[in-house]
Amino acid sequence: MFWPVPMYLPLLVSAALALVAPWVGRRMPPRVGAWAMLCAAVVAAGTWVTELAILAFTAVGQVPLVAEQGPWSVSVLAAEDPVSRKTAAVCAGVVLLVVVSLTVASWRRGRALVDAWRECRHIASGGDLAVLDDPMPAAFAVLGMPGRVVVSSGMLRLLDGLERRALLAHERAHLRHRHHLFSLVLHLTAVVNPLLRPSERAGAFAVERWADEEAGAVVGDRRLVARAIARAALASSRAKPAALSATGGPVPQRVQALLAPPLRRSNMMMAAFVVLMGTCCASLAVTAHDTERLFEAAMHAHTTAAQLRTR
C-alpha cells in the first residue's frame, strides 16, 4: 500500500525552503548569502518541478499505449496509485507550462545579454574599461569574454578620483564573480517556482552588496564606497538602470549596510539551512523510490499475468 502524504512532502519542503531562503540570505554576509540563495533556489526549483513530473507520470503511466512500453499492469497501477487522476492532470499541465515559460525566459534573458554585448563591443576601450561619450551618468558591467565595464563621461565628471576608483571596483567585482550568471539562474528558478521570486529579489540585492564589499576592500574605505554609489545613484535616477550596476538595487539600504559594521556568518544558521536543503533532496529521493516501487509492483503483476496466460 502506498500512502499519499509522502508523495506530496517534497512540494511542502521545497515551498518551505523557498520561503526561508530570502530571510536567511539577508542575515548573512553578502557573498555567503548570495551563494546560499542560489543553491537553495536551484534545489527548491529542481525539487518542485521533478516532483510535479513524478506525480504527473503516475497518471501518464496508466495510458494503455504508455503501459505497453513498460510493460506494466494498468489495473494494478490504478489501484495502488495514491495520486488522483485530476491531481496528476493538473501537475502535468503545470509541468508543461513550466517548460514553455522556462524556454521563453531563457531566450529573452540570453538575447538581452547578447544585445548588450553587441551594443558595447564597438566602444573604444582600454583593457576592461570602455568610456561612453554621454553626459547622462551611467556605469554598468557587461558580461562577455572578457567582460567589460562601461562608464559614461558624465559619470566620470560627476565623481572625484577616489569615488571613481570605488565605482569601477564595484563593477569589476560583478565581472570577476560572474554575477550576471547568479542573476540569470535566480530568474530562471523563479520562473519554475513563483515562490522563489522573493529569493530572486533578495539575490539581486546580495550580489550588489557583494560588489559593494569587494569595492570597499579594494579602496580600503567602505564609507567611500557608500558615498560613491549614493552620488552615482542620485545623479542617474532618471536613467534606465542596467541589470548589474553600482546604482542598482535599493541604494539607501546598501548605503546603510556599508555604514554599519559588516555582517558575520552564523554557523548555526548555515547548518540549519543546509539541513533544510538536504531534507528537500531526501524527501524527493523517498518519493522517487516509492514511485519506482509502485511501477515495479505493476510490472510484476503484468509479468505474472502473462505467464499464467501462456500455461
Side-chain angles (χ1 to χ4, degrees):
M1 183 67 181
F2 298 88
W3 301 99
V5 174
M7 293 293 290
Y8 300 102
L9 187 59
L11 296 179
L12 299 176
V13 180
S14 64
L17 179 59
L19 295 174
V20 168
W23 184 87
V24 174
R26 283 192 292 264
R27 285 158 178 78
M28 293 182 177
R31 180 173 184 169
V32 178
W35 274 108
M37 284 184 282
L38 181 72
C39 294
V42 171
V43 170
T47 300
W48 177 269
V49 72
T50 303
E51 175 63 10
L52 290 175
I54 289 174
L55 295 175
F57 191 69
T58 59
V60 173
Q62 296 176 41
V63 176
L65 185 62
V66 176
E68 290 176 4
Q69 305 303 314
W72 50 71
S73 170
V74 173
S75 59
V76 172
L77 186 61
E80 296 289 340
D81 187 6
V83 183
S84 68
R85 286 284 189 96
K86 291 182 179 179
T87 300
V90 170
C91 291
V94 173
V95 170
L96 180 61
L97 181 62
V98 165
V99 171
V100 173
S101 300
L102 193 58
T103 302
V104 173
S106 300
W107 169 256
R108 287 178 176 174
R109 278 300 178 102
R111 188 176 62 180
L113 289 174
V114 171
D115 289 345
W117 177 76
R118 285 177 176 173
E119 288 179 7
C120 298
R121 66 177 175 175
H122 298 300
I123 303 174
S125 63
D128 65 346
L129 178 62
V131 178
L132 184 66
D133 187 13
D134 188 342
M136 181 67 71
F140 53 92
V142 179
L143 188 65
M145 298 178 67
R148 184 176 291 184
V149 173
V150 179
V151 60
S152 70
S153 56
M155 182 66 80
L156 293 177
R157 285 193 294 268
L158 173 71
L159 305 177
D160 63 31
L162 291 176
E163 290 169 344
R164 285 197 295 268
R165 186 183 174 208
L167 185 78
L168 295 179
H170 173 101
E171 301 301 348
R172 285 179 173 130
H174 282 319
L175 294 179
R176 184 166 55 254
H177 298 295
R178 300 292 180 182
H179 288 165
H180 294 83
L181 299 182
F182 277 76
S183 298
L184 175 62
V185 173
L186 286 168
H187 175 68
L188 295 181
T189 56
V191 171
V192 171
N193 184 353
L195 290 177
L196 289 166
R197 287 176 182 171
S199 290
E200 181 185 9
R201 293 191 293 269
F205 179 71
V207 296
E208 291 295 345
R209 285 281 303 113
W210 182 354
D212 290 343
E213 295 295 342
E214 287 273 328
V218 170
V219 302
D221 188 347
R222 297 171 74 242
R223 289 180 175 272
L224 172 62
V225 178
R227 186 172 73 245
I229 63 174
R231 290 190 63 189
L234 185 63
S236 59
S237 59
R238 291 176 295 176
K240 182 180 179 181
L244 284 176
S245 69
T247 57
V251 174
Q253 289 90 324
R254 289 169 55 196
V255 170
Q256 184 178 11
L258 283 166
L259 297 178
L263 290 173
R264 294 184 178 181
R265 186 174 66 181
S266 170
N267 291 331
M268 184 174 296
M269 183 182 295
M270 189 58 136
F273 197 53
V274 171
V275 168
L276 183 56
M277 285 193 286
T279 302
C280 197
C281 296
S283 65
L284 181 62
V286 170
T287 300
H289 178 68
D290 287 347
T291 305
E292 183 181 11
R293 288 175 52 222
L294 175 65
F295 279 88
E296 284 178 350
M299 292 176 70
H300 179 72
H302 179 274
T303 302
T304 302
Q307 291 174 348
L308 291 175
R309 286 196 299 268
T310 56
R311 290 180 181 178

